[in-house]
Amino acid sequence: MVPSRSHQRGHGAGRDAPPCVLVIFGAAGDLARRKLLPALLNLHRAGRLARDFALVGLARAGMDQDAFRASLLADLEAFATSPLEPHERDRFERQLFYVQGGFEDPGLYARLDACLSLVDAECGTEGNHLFYLATPPELFPVIADRLGGAGLLDERDGQWRRIIIEKPFGRDLQTARALNRQLADVLDEHQIYRIDHYLGKETVQNLMIFRFANGIFEPVWNRRYVDHVQITVAESVGVEKRGGYYDAAGALRDMVPNHLFQLLALTAMEPPISFEADAVRDERVKVLEAIRPLTPERVREQVVRGQYGEGVYMSDPVAGYRQEPRVAPGSATETYVALKLFIDSWRWADVPFYLRTGKRLPRRVSEVAIQFKCPPLVLFRKTMVERLQPNLLIVRIQPDEGISLRFEAKVPGAGVTLGTVRMDFNYADYFGSELATGYETLLYDAMVGDSTLFYRADMVEASWSAVAPVLEAWREMAPNTFPNYPAYTWGPEAADQMMRNDGRSWRRP
């Protein structure tokens, strides 16, 4: 289906980001090299990056400014989403600066202060500073404390100071609360931008637009018409080089309080009173706070965990999780988790939300599938129709962004025979594809001060509160069946059985 291109609405290209300095802690790391630098280049190409912009990199590596510039420009050449033009190289080279040192060293922050004063004067960045902590999570409170102690987070004379931190925001409720307290000691909440790159995906953002800008969907988006919702974030890769981190985290901590819960919140939220950041975030946090608490008995019935074992991909053998680098040989860490949750609100009372995520599944796919209730079969009792297929609305987030609707139609012929058809909308077909890293929108929003797509402190704590009973129950119930699904299958049998118990089944995307 190719929709009409008429009646596109919006605010055009939007405003440029204001003059500012982006300070990257961990500028020599993979995140900066592979994602942040290419995203900045894409913002420049889209006309969104201020002309008066500069980047200050901080790292432990001993190099001078010329060596740093050469290194980052080589990274930009290697990882840009399209070839770097000579004029782009010249512009970025003039705007790159470097400060060397250990992040725990107070002396680093005195040198950073001096560098920022110089950059503001040379580049016209007006004292606006955005600090990006592309570092291990244990350094977040340390860096924030040092920045605060050096006065680098003070906002005055119209200048703004903001800090971006990456997930994970703690590893459980207690550590999340502790991190929030430590950040609040030196920052106001409006200065903190907790980033989840998943929320930079266009289709995730469009969940709200799809629901609230189209009058035909919102009236049926409730318990009266929806049978259940399935949210899937499946990965075909294993743990790759992240075995050390992953073995201490697992699928639940790594994916559920952030990616899956944000999809849940956007799917189930009430209409906000406006698109102002806090109005939207207020409604998202209400969904998380309304998740029905999981008792130990409910954990046993409504949560399934799994770990992949050896398997086969394209006729080649694939190692199991316990054979991956930096993973303990007898590891009890889950690489798959499925949950059945209820949201105790007027709109969603008794509608089950099934969430699942895992590694080494048959394909990489993220989607939200809303299955509607079947109409009564009584109308068709004297026809050849024996059963009706439920209508299904699928919001595809990756890799092929789009929306599809499944419904029933009459097959041409004399008798009454139904056939299932699907209407497909693909973003690339309609709007064109745009090479991006997923960080462009989030970096731009942080520069202009739009926190809509970022986590607020109460959202972080509400997410961890919902999974805390699972973590607690699992501490008392060590898995004794791992590994319990072969690599490149759709997860453990217990997850399928959980659905069969409800008379339902998982989608096979």
Side-chain angles (χ1 to χ4, degrees):
M1 181 182 73
V2 180
S4 165
R5 289 177 181 266
S6 62
H7 303 111
Q8 292 186 18
R9 291 179 171 83
H11 298 287
R15 57 194 171 103
D16 289 353
C20 69
V21 184
L22 175 62
V23 181
I24 302 179
F25 285 81
D30 271 1
L31 175 62
R33 297 165 59 236
R34 294 174 179 271
K35 299 294 184 181
L36 302 184
L37 287 174
L40 290 171
L41 177 60
N42 289 340
L43 286 175
H44 163 68
R45 289 169 170 171
R48 293 289 188 94
L49 197 62
R51 179 169 295 277
D52 300 321
F53 169 83
L55 186 151
V56 175
L58 285 83
R60 291 182 171 83
M63 66 176 93
D64 62 19
Q65 189 154 281
D66 288 340
F68 174 73
R69 285 176 170 172
S71 175
L72 255 67
L73 288 169
D75 291 336
L76 201 51
E77 293 271 12
F79 300 114
T81 54
S82 59
L84 189 65
E85 299 291 338
H87 71 276
E88 294 170 337
R89 181 183 178 90
D90 292 343
R91 179 191 172 177
F92 274 86
E93 185 171 20
R94 294 192 303 271
Q95 296 172 312
L96 296 176
F97 301 84
Y98 183 62
V99 180
Q100 186 269 335
F103 301 152
E104 300 90 343
D105 177 16
L108 171 70
Y109 298 86
R111 297 193 295 277
L112 175 60
D113 192 10
C115 177
L116 288 172
S117 296
L118 175 67
V119 171
D120 284 337
E122 285 190 7
C123 299
T125 45
E126 300 182 3
N128 297 323
H129 302 157
L130 177 61
F131 301 95
Y132 200 119
L133 276 52
T135 68
E138 58 268 22
L139 289 175
F140 295 166
V142 175
I143 295 172
D145 181 67
R146 297 285 193 274
L147 287 170
L152 292 169
L153 299 176
D154 298 341
E155 295 184 315
R156 54 183 177 270
D157 302 325
Q159 299 170 340
W160 52 259
R161 306 291 165 88
R162 298 170 188 147
I163 192 166
I164 297 177
I165 64 173
E166 287 263 352
K167 78 169 187 75
F169 315 117
R171 56 177 283 107
D172 53 29
L173 180 57
Q174 290 70 34
T175 55
R177 283 174 172 165
L179 177 60
N180 282 339
R181 287 195 301 269
Q182 291 163 325
L183 294 175
D185 286 341
V186 291
L187 292 149
D188 292 330
E189 181 63 30
H190 76 269
Q191 295 177 275
I192 305 170
Y193 287 71
R194 300 171 185 84
I195 197 170
D196 180 350
H197 71 275
Y198 218 72
L199 290 179
K201 296 182 183 296
E202 287 291 341
T203 321
V204 173
Q205 299 170 50
N206 269 299
L207 263 172
M208 274 198 308
I209 304 301
F210 178 76
R211 287 184 57 192
F212 302 131
N214 297 294
I216 64 172
F217 295 112
E218 186 57 22
V220 298
W221 208 272
N222 55 58
R223 66 186 299 272
R224 183 175 178 183
Y225 299 100
V226 174
D227 178 77
H228 73 278
V229 177
Q230 293 185 29
I231 300 176
T232 299
V233 178
E235 299 179 279
S236 59
V237 297
V239 295
E240 299 180 299
K241 298 178 181 179
R242 300 171 67 230
Y245 160 76
Y246 199 89
D247 210 36
L252 182 70
R253 285 188 172 95
D254 191 44
M255 298 293 285
V256 175
N258 36 74
H259 295 347
L260 278 109
F261 274 4
Q262 288 309 309
L263 293 178
L264 173 69
L266 289 167
T267 302
M269 66 185 281
E270 294 296 324
I273 60 171
S274 72
F275 278 123
E276 293 297 316
D278 276 334
V280 174
R281 296 195 293 180
D282 285 347
E283 298 305 329
R284 283 160 52 195
V285 78
K286 286 177 186 176
V287 173
L288 301 176
E289 291 174 341
I291 294 173
R292 185 180 299 172
L294 289 165
T295 63
E297 182 61 29
R298 286 175 181 161
V299 171
R300 284 190 287 271
E301 295 175 354
Q302 296 176 209
V303 183
V304 174
R305 54 180 158 169
Q307 183 190 93
Y308 66 84
E310 297 176 355
V312 176
Y313 178 70
M314 302 286 287
S315 302
D316 295 324
V318 177
Y321 174 72
R322 292 176 177 179
Q323 287 77 52
E324 300 278 15
R326 302 177 66 192
V327 171
S331 174
T333 298
E334 80 285 353
T335 62
Y336 174 100
V337 62
L339 307 93
K340 173 185 173 182
L341 301 176
F342 292 95
I343 297 170
D344 287 337
S345 67
W346 185 271
R347 180 187 292 262
W348 296 113
D350 299 323
V351 174
F353 285 75
Y354 299 98
L355 284 60
R356 61 174 169 170
T357 183
K359 290 190 174 292
R360 286 283 188 235
L361 300 182
R363 61 170 301 201
R364 171 178 172 260
V365 61
S366 297
E367 66 173 33
V368 178
I370 296 95
Q371 183 164 310
F372 294 91
K373 294 179 178 179
C374 279
L377 190 62
V378 61
L379 175 65
F380 300 92
R381 63 185 180 274
K382 294 183 179 180
T383 70
M384 297 174 64
V385 177
E386 296 180 355
R387 62 187 299 268
L388 297 172
Q389 290 291 327
N391 298 140
L392 187 65
L393 180 68
I394 303 165
V395 180
R396 300 188 308 275
I397 295 157
Q398 65 179 18
D400 303 313
E401 295 182 315
I403 299 170
S404 65
L405 178 64
R406 187 181 78 185
F407 58 93
E408 297 295 283
K410 182 182 179 295
V411 176
V416 178
T417 306
L418 301 184
T420 300
V421 298
R422 191 172 76 172
M423 296 178 68
D424 252 341
F425 159 64
N426 293 299
Y427 276 91
D429 292 342
Y430 184 62
F431 296 112
S433 59
E434 185 175 289
L435 295 173
T437 68
Y439 280 80
E440 287 81 1
T441 297
L442 298 170
L443 282 173
Y444 172 79
D445 284 354
M447 291 176 189
V448 300
D450 183 350
S451 55
T452 304
L453 297 177
F454 297 84
Y455 289 73
R456 208 166 54 189
D458 56 350
M459 297 171 68
V460 173
E461 295 184 18
S463 295
W464 281 115
S465 293
V467 301
V470 181
L471 293 171
E472 185 175 345
W474 283 359
R475 279 194 290 269
E476 304 299 322
M477 302 182 296
N480 56 13
T481 58
F482 282 1
N484 60 356
Y485 70 98
Y488 293 103
T489 62
W490 278 109
E493 165 63 20
D496 292 331
Q497 186 60 51
M498 180 177 73
M499 296 293 277
R500 285 195 294 269
N501 292 343
D502 293 346
R504 301 184 176 100
S505 61
W506 290 109
R507 271 182 40 77
R508 296 291 187 256

